[in-house]
Amino acid sequence: MALQIVLFLVPYALALLMPSRKWLLAYAATVTLIVAAIWYLTVTAPSTRTGLEGISLAIALSAAVSAAAGTIVRIVTLVVARIVAVYVSIFGAALLIVTVLVWANQ
């Protein structure tokens, strides 16, 4: 459970800490390249009976979804006023935590 929270909250928090649109674009591009590299390595890996290559892709995609959610929330906060930005960030984090808990308890 702790690993799932780290995988979801760290990329989300990193996106929220980006000070400008340029930094946010660089962060999104970096996450995209990392996920693409992991996907490529997963697809080209020789198939095993354990399925570990699929697990690495699932872990990378969970972090990518979290980064995408944080990026979307940060885009909204960059567009709206500063007062509303705090509320949007708190609501986005709460929504992400609820999503993780619902997904983990299935």
Side-chain angles (χ1 to χ4, degrees):
M1 182 69 175
L3 178 66
Q4 293 170 347
I5 291 175
V6 168
L7 283 176
F8 277 95
L9 288 181
V10 169
Y12 180 83
L14 284 175
L16 290 181
L17 294 175
M18 296 298 132
S20 69
R21 293 180 185 136
K22 291 180 184 179
W23 280 86
L24 188 61
L25 179 63
Y27 175 73
T30 303
V31 169
T32 303
L33 287 175
I34 290 171
V35 170
I38 292 173
W39 175 81
Y40 177 75
L41 292 173
T42 302
V43 170
T44 59
S47 182
T48 62
R49 289 191 288 164
T50 59
L52 291 177
E53 61 273 355
I55 293 171
S56 67
L57 183 62
I59 290 171
L61 287 179
S62 66
V65 167
S66 176
T71 302
I72 291 169
V73 169
R74 183 61 181 149
I75 288 171
V76 171
T77 59
L78 284 172
V79 172
V80 298
R82 293 278 181 187
I83 296 171
V84 177
V86 173
Y87 295 118
V88 170
S89 297
I90 292 171
F91 176 72
L95 185 64
L96 184 66
I97 291 171
V98 168
T99 304
V100 169
L101 292 176
V102 166
W103 176 71
N105 290 324
Q106 287 184 355

